[in-house]
Amino acid sequence: MSEPQVKKQKVECNGRDISEITNVLNKCMLAMDNGDEDEFASCFVEDGMLEIVLTKTETKDLRNVCKTIKQKFPTAQHWEGNVYVQFQDNEHATNVSYWKAIDGGEIVSQGKHFDKLVKVDGVWKMQQRKIVHVWTKAAGHIQQTDPKPKD
């Protein structure tokens, strides 16, 4: 017996929305690499949440996260790739993407981002970002139990 067909609601979005979301994701990475705490925090809504699974960090202190990462990895560059955006409606979207950190031309860690985004006053911002490491140079492959963000 085949499973019943569920009709999904079609959400209207355009290339501009996808481009703006991709841009804010990249802006976040560049701000982190530059140690620009204000620019980093501006990628999130005012009460945005960031979770780093590897270090068991869950915080709304976004400026401090930026500062800590820059201090710990002063010459690393972070890259966002394979961005996959899905829209729940015209003002809410999710993203799943890959990231990697490169230092001195060598990959030092890689993983996935799970993002919830919201459009505030016409601007896409992250409401929640979950950073999941899947490999680091120091630890090798890292097994994750449930990488998806909580609703």
Side-chain angles (χ1 to χ4, degrees), residues 3 6-7 13-15 17 34 37-38 43 51 57-58 69 77 84 88 115 117-118 121 127 131 134:
E3 292 192 26
V6 177
K7 191 171 186 172
C13 65
N14 57 45
D17 285 317
N34 292 327
E37 300 165 26
D38 291 333
C43 297
E51 179 182 1
T57 301
E58 190 169 342
I69 291 172
Q77 294 179 332
Y84 179 61
Q88 283 64 58
D115 303 308
L117 299 109
V118 62
D121 297 326
Q127 188 170 37
I131 301 172
V134 296

Side-chain angles (χ1 to χ4, degrees), residues 7-134:
K7 191 171 186 172
K8 292 185 178 181
Q9 178 183 356
K10 185 175 180 177
V11 177
E12 294 295 325
C13 65
N14 57 45
R16 183 179 179 128
D17 285 317
I18 292 172
S19 179
E20 288 175 358
I21 288 171
T22 302
N23 200 42
V24 77
L25 300 175
N26 290 324
K27 174 182 167 183
C28 180
M29 299 298 254
L30 288 168
M32 185 172 59
D33 289 342
N34 292 327
D36 190 335
E37 300 165 26
D38 291 333
E39 187 81 355
F40 182 82
S42 78
C43 297
F44 292 81
V45 296
E46 190 172 318
D47 63 343
M49 177 64 69
L50 178 70
E51 179 182 1
I52 305 171
V53 175
L54 183 66
T55 60
K56 296 178 175 54
T57 301
E58 190 169 342
T59 185
K60 291 184 178 188
D61 187 358
L62 303 169
R63 286 171 178 79
N64 191 51
V65 168
C66 180
K67 179 180 177 180
T68 301
I69 291 172
K70 182 62 177 173
Q71 288 173 342
K72 190 172 181 179
F73 306 102
T75 59
Q77 294 179 332
H78 293 80
W79 297 74
E80 189 88 30
N82 294 5
V83 172
Y84 179 61
V85 177
Q86 292 183 295
F87 292 89
Q88 283 64 58
D89 57 43
N90 293 335
E91 295 180 343
H92 296 86
T94 58
N95 167 62
V96 177
S97 55
Y98 294 118
W99 64 266
K100 61 183 169 183
I102 299 173
D103 199 357
E106 183 176 26
I107 297 173
V108 293
S109 60
Q110 62 189 45
K112 285 185 174 181
H113 285 142
F114 296 89
D115 303 308
K116 291 183 180 180
L117 299 109
V118 62
K119 199 172 196 178
V120 179
D121 297 326
V123 178
W124 285 101
K125 293 183 177 262
M126 286 183 277
Q127 188 170 37
Q128 178 184 357
R129 167 160 270 199
K130 185 170 190 172
I131 301 172
V132 178
H133 291 73
V134 296

